[in-house]
Amino acid sequence: MLASEGIKRVELGRDEFEKRVWEWKEKYGGTITNQIKRLGASCDWTRECFTLDEQLSRKTSFISSKSEI
């Protein structure tokens, strides 16, 4: 989508890029899940999550743990 707009990811900055990722996920994320379900994947769908979900994303703890190394 960004390429079609003539924009590079780094030009947006982190916050704007993350906002656009969430917009994309809201629009298209269900499509991917439905395709996997139709293929017959046996998953625990109650535990489905997205990479940027709060419980998975550790922006600050990753940075602080890197400095402790």
Side-chain angles (χ1 to χ4, degrees), residues 3 5 15 24 35 38 49-50 53 56 59 67-68:
E5 296 174 29
D15 291 335
W24 183 94
Q35 289 172 344
R38 283 197 322 247
C49 53
F50 179 60
D53 284 343
L56 294 179
K59 296 175 199 169
S67 62
E68 293 171 6

Side-chain angles (χ1 to χ4, degrees), residues 38-68:
R38 283 197 322 247
L39 288 170
S42 177
C43 301
D44 181 357
W45 296 106
T46 64
R47 296 176 49 187
E48 181 182 13
C49 53
F50 179 60
T51 306
L52 295 179
D53 284 343
E54 190 68 34
Q55 69 270 20
L56 294 179
S57 181
R58 295 193 227 163
K59 296 175 199 169
T60 55
S61 31
F62 176 73
I63 293 168
S64 63
S65 65
K66 292 284 279 185
S67 62
E68 293 171 6

Side-chain angles (χ1 to χ4, degrees), residues 3-49:
S4 68
E5 296 174 29
I7 301 171
K8 294 184 180 184
R9 175 182 54 88
V10 295
E11 295 172 347
L12 291 177
R14 182 183 184 93
D15 291 335
E16 180 62 24
F17 178 72
E18 191 171 323
K19 177 183 161 221
R20 287 185 178 227
V21 168
W22 278 106
E23 289 170 358
W24 183 94
K25 190 254 185 202
E26 290 300 314
K27 187 172 183 178
Y28 299 106
T31 301
I32 296 167
T33 299
N34 289 333
Q35 289 172 344
I36 295 170
K37 287 179 178 180
R38 283 197 322 247
L39 288 170
S42 177
C43 301
D44 181 357
W45 296 106
T46 64
R47 296 176 49 187
E48 181 182 13
C49 53

